Amino acid sequence: MLPFAAMNDVKDALRQSLSDAVKSLGFESPEIVIQEVPGDKPGDYGTPLAFVLAKALKRNPADIAAEVIAAFEPPAGVARAEAVGPYINFFVDPGAFVARIVEETPSVPARNLKVVVEHTSVNPNKEAHVGHLRNIVLGDAVARILRADGYDVEVQNYIDDTGRQAAESLFAAQYFGETPPAEGEAGEKLDHWFGRLYVQLGEAKEGDEATIEEGVRSTMHQLEAGERRADVERIVRAQLETFWSLGVEYDLLVWESDVVASGFLARGLEVLEASPFVSKPDEGKYAGALVMDVGTFIPGLEEPNVVLVRSDGNAMYVAKDIGYQFWKAGIFEGLRYAPFSEQPSGEPLWTSHPAGMETPEGRSFAHAQEIVNVIDVRQTHPQTLVRTALALSNTPEGKEAYEHSKHLAYEVVTLEGQAMSGRKGITLAIDEVLAEATRRAAAVVAEKNPDLVDSGDVARTVGLGAMRFAMLKSEAKRIIDFRWEQALSLQGDSAPYVQYAHARAASILRAAKEAGIGPSDADWSRLGPLEVTVAQVIARLPEVREVAARELAPHLIAQYALDLATAWNAYYNHRGEDGKPDTSVMRAEPGLREARLALVARVKDTLAEALALLGIGAPEAM
């Protein structure tokens, strides 16, 4: 038998053994698909390989299947193969298969590819609300999944400190004669304080628009000159408290004022002007303008020419974003860096800063081969132009980044059917949502387990998990209506459902430990098809994670977590033909008991691993 211990799972081992068999027959091996066999069909895994070869060779698929099976050497854990119509199905040896899944740790590939993930980018003028939550959680989960799948990940958060919204909030304090609360002072959180004044200023515009407009413009000039950076920093620090409470951390804060001062716009345009796809026409409607022809890379456009700089010399907003994207790809340098804060995990948070260092502690920021921008679906066209500019940059860094870079577009979030609007004050702050989630989770936990130790910590973990899972379980392109009852349900597609499955496994392991029983005396030969079904789901995680990383799709991990929790619950509650439970762990006979105990431990660890990829904790008890 061929071992599959060094491979990611049994599917890889089957592919390799089948490929060897096909080549030994003198055939060219095609791409081999391995699938789990439906419950009503014979076998555990199957492949349409014989059918694929038969079509290419113009031969009977049954004959091809027989030849492949004769040459096939089963990998460890696979007992035999047989033909089922044009398919080849495989039957695993339950004991050997489950033992391999339980005992072996799948390898993680070294991708040797750096990815910059930019997410959050909440305007530094008010508290973050539930409308921002999807961006934050989605970007964080993508970064976690990419790291777990072997990528070198750098998470950036863009701070728009020169924008109008920041200016309005700062001017509002001056306009209303209010003094911001001092650092450490009890009372209203600083970002909430500015957010309240921001809404009030919007209402006051109806009666004093000229004065307010003049004051906001003056404040914007102060921001552009760097005179109010310290004020904005205080708001950013208040926002970071919220993000950290969600379990979200960053590697680098990039400030808009630093991007402007570094000349990314001019340098980006300089790079593009050397491209054959960029020109400055002497006549026609684009006369005197700097124009980028994106038609080669974005076919089907009615107008393939994009104006970067108007004929009057004013640059379009997309040109600034292109320069910033070029920096991310390492086409040019330009920023300096300084420490900003220590994060809850102990990891440092760095920030761009004009008085900083070029390579602090030997670190090199940006220089990404892949760039992921997490921005809502309304920015799809500008993001397409920014990515296309990488290809038109006529640089090796730009071309490589173009091939790999993605815009992770997501749809809006409503709360119990209500849309969010920060300007109109129709919002629910993330801080308030988290507090409410914890309160509601505490009620659920108290009802389920009134004597639970550390119930407060568990409630917070369950509440936060419910919020994050509700944001991640659907594809990014789908609109989410966040509803409390669904998010906190212990049944169905929710984090508490998965967390409770983990706690159930942990409870069995605690009981075994108290009884002095461990998995060392496992008799794997006592296991059967019920254990195989659970082990098959466990074995699926590396493949699901790889696809989720490639497609930037955390919802695939969420669905996997639900599948494993469901498989484990079905096993736990299974009854035999006599109607009696037949999967008990602690009451099973010696040998079988230890083997099942080892499987339960792997279930628990895998559930925790899947939840961690989503940034969700796994309580030991609920």
Side-chain angles (χ1 to χ4, degrees):
M1 289 187 177
L2 299 175
F4 64 81
M7 300 188 182
N8 271 342
D9 58 29
V10 68
K11 290 184 179 179
D12 285 344
L14 284 170
R15 290 188 191 97
Q16 185 61 57
S17 294
L18 284 170
S19 179
D20 292 343
V22 169
K23 290 176 182 176
S24 73
L25 296 171
F27 305 147
E28 183 177 343
S29 180
E31 181 179 352
I32 299 174
V33 176
I34 304 291
Q35 301 165 323
E36 291 179 24
V37 173
D40 60 344
K41 302 293 183 183
D44 299 298
Y45 293 97
T47 178
L49 172 63
F51 186 73
V52 174
L53 287 172
K55 290 179 67 175
L57 299 171
K58 310 299 183 186
R59 292 179 53 192
N60 187 302
D63 295 338
I64 294 289
E67 292 181 32
V68 172
I69 289 172
F72 172 72
E73 186 175 358
V78 177
R80 71 184 193 280
E82 66 178 47
V84 181
Y87 292 90
I88 300 173
N89 284 7
F90 307 97
F91 296 77
V92 303
D93 175 88
F97 175 75
V98 176
R100 285 290 186 181
I101 298 302
V102 167
E103 294 178 342
E104 301 293 342
T105 301
S107 59
V108 177
R111 303 290 181 181
N112 296 318
L113 190 147
K114 182 174 182 180
V115 186
V116 163
V117 178
E118 182 197 327
H119 69 83
T120 303
S121 304
V122 175
N123 282 316
N125 73 309
K126 60 183 181 301
E127 73 282 7
H129 59 69
V130 72
H132 301 121
L133 186 58
R134 191 173 197 179
N135 181 306
I136 299 166
V137 172
L138 187 60
D140 181 63
V142 163
R144 290 171 183 266
I145 293 167
L146 288 169
R147 282 198 182 105
D149 206 52
Y151 294 86
D152 175 17
V153 180
E154 177 180 303
V155 180
Q156 296 183 4
N157 180 0
Y158 192 85
I159 310 299
D160 185 4
D161 62 318
T162 65
R164 182 178 182 88
Q165 291 191 343
E168 288 192 358
S169 286
L170 292 178
F171 176 68
Q174 177 183 336
Y175 182 80
F176 293 114
E178 298 264 2
T179 301
E183 190 170 346
E185 182 179 328
E188 195 172 13
K189 195 160 167 273
L190 186 68
D191 49 348
H192 290 252
W193 187 87
F194 273 109
R196 176 171 53 80
L197 294 182
Y198 172 74
V199 173
Q200 291 178 7
L201 190 73
E203 297 168 349
K205 286 180 182 178
E206 296 183 10
D208 198 8
E209 184 174 1
T211 301
I212 291 173
E213 181 61 26
E214 182 182 350
V216 169
R217 287 185 177 276
S218 175
T219 306
M220 287 181 69
H221 292 317
Q222 292 175 341
L223 288 170
E224 291 166 0
E227 297 171 6
R228 303 293 300 274
R229 178 158 178 156
D231 296 325
V232 179
E233 274 196 9
R234 288 192 63 201
I235 299 174
V236 170
R237 290 183 187 278
Q239 290 179 336
L240 282 170
E241 291 177 17
T242 298
F243 307 150
W244 290 336
S245 72
L246 295 172
V248 178
E249 295 190 353
Y250 310 87
D251 295 297
L252 179 67
L253 305 179
V254 181
W255 292 67
E256 166 106 359
S257 56
D258 295 331
V259 170
V260 172
S262 296
F264 284 179
L265 170 61
R267 296 169 73 177
L269 292 175
E270 184 179 334
V271 170
L272 285 175
E273 285 174 350
S275 168
F277 296 93
V278 176
S279 62
K280 185 178 286 187
D282 294 324
E283 55 187 28
K285 66 177 182 178
Y286 296 118
L290 188 66
V291 179
M292 178 172 65
D293 182 355
V294 300
T296 301
F297 292 86
I298 312 178
L301 292 176
E302 183 177 335
E303 177 50 77
N305 291 309
V306 176
V307 175
L308 300 173
V309 181
R310 294 197 296 253
S311 57
D312 61 6
N314 289 319
M316 305 299 287
Y317 195 84
V318 72
K320 183 209 70 177
D321 285 347
I322 288 171
Y324 178 42
Q325 196 83 342
F326 283 4
W327 166 77
K328 287 182 184 177
I331 294 174
F332 50 69
E333 306 289 342
L335 293 181
R336 303 176 74 89
Y337 312 97
F340 189 81
S341 181
E342 181 180 303
Q343 303 184 93
S345 68
E347 290 295 314
L349 173 60
W350 295 89
T351 181
S352 63
H353 197 283
M357 301 164 281
E358 291 183 359
T359 54
E361 299 182 359
R363 292 198 59 162
S364 176
F365 291 103
H367 295 88
Q369 288 83 48
E370 179 175 334
I371 301 169
V372 178
N373 291 331
V374 185
I375 305 176
D376 73 61
V377 70
R378 293 169 296 182
Q379 297 297 315
T380 296
H381 182 62
Q383 284 296 307
T384 301
L385 297 179
V386 167
R387 175 174 176 264
T388 302
L390 288 167
L392 304 184
S393 68
N394 203 31
T395 65
E397 298 90 346
K399 290 177 181 177
E400 183 176 31
Y402 168 79
E403 292 295 331
H404 295 292
S405 296
K406 304 177 183 76
H407 166 213
L408 180 48
Y410 62 90
E411 271 290 357
V412 298
V413 176
T414 58
L415 180 66
E416 301 280 2
Q418 185 177 28
M420 301 292 107
S421 172
R423 185 171 293 277
K424 296 178 181 179
I426 306 174
T427 65
L428 186 60
I430 292 176
D431 296 317
E432 296 170 10
V433 177
L434 183 54
E436 178 69 5
T438 301
R439 186 187 67 78
R440 291 179 180 240
V444 173
V445 170
E447 180 181 352
K448 196 74 178 176
N449 190 351
D451 299 323
L452 179 65
V453 178
D454 298 327
S455 59
D457 292 338
V458 172
R460 192 180 185 288
T461 300
V462 172
L464 175 56
M467 285 173 53
R468 292 189 66 123
F469 200 90
M471 295 293 122
L472 296 171
K473 68 181 181 181
S474 301
E475 291 183 72
K477 63 183 180 182
R478 293 188 178 182
I479 295 174
I480 290 178
D481 181 27
F482 182 90
R483 293 187 177 271
W484 288 110
E485 288 189 10
Q486 295 174 4
L488 289 167
S489 174
L490 289 177
Q491 304 295 323
D493 55 345
S494 68
Y497 173 72
V498 181
Q499 291 171 316
Y500 190 67
H502 175 272
R504 170 175 280 168
S507 176
I508 294 173
L509 295 174
R510 280 196 302 275
K513 184 177 181 180
E514 291 171 2
I517 301 171
S520 57
D521 296 324
D523 182 355
W524 301 104
S525 67
R526 305 287 297 276
L527 299 180
L530 293 176
E531 286 82 14
V532 167
T533 299
V534 177
Q536 280 184 297
V537 183
I538 293 172
R540 206 188 299 159
L541 179 55
E543 182 180 17
V544 175
R545 186 192 63 211
E546 181 179 2
V547 175
R550 183 173 65 246
E551 298 183 4
L552 306 180
H555 73 277
L556 297 178
I557 301 294
Q559 185 57 56
Y560 171 82
L562 292 170
D563 289 346
L564 181 54
T566 299
W568 160 233
N569 287 335
Y571 178 82
Y572 179 87
N573 294 310
H574 193 271
R575 295 176 180 272
E577 293 182 0
D578 59 1
K580 296 180 180 180
D582 60 354
T583 55
S584 172
V585 177
M586 297 301 292
R587 291 193 297 273
E589 297 176 3
L592 174 59
R593 175 184 60 195
E594 284 77 10
R596 284 179 172 175
L597 188 64
L599 177 61
V600 171
R602 189 59 193 273
V603 166
K604 173 182 177 292
D605 290 346
T606 307
L607 284 170
E609 182 180 351
L611 287 170
L613 291 173
L614 303 176
I616 296 173
E620 294 289 311
M622 281 179 63

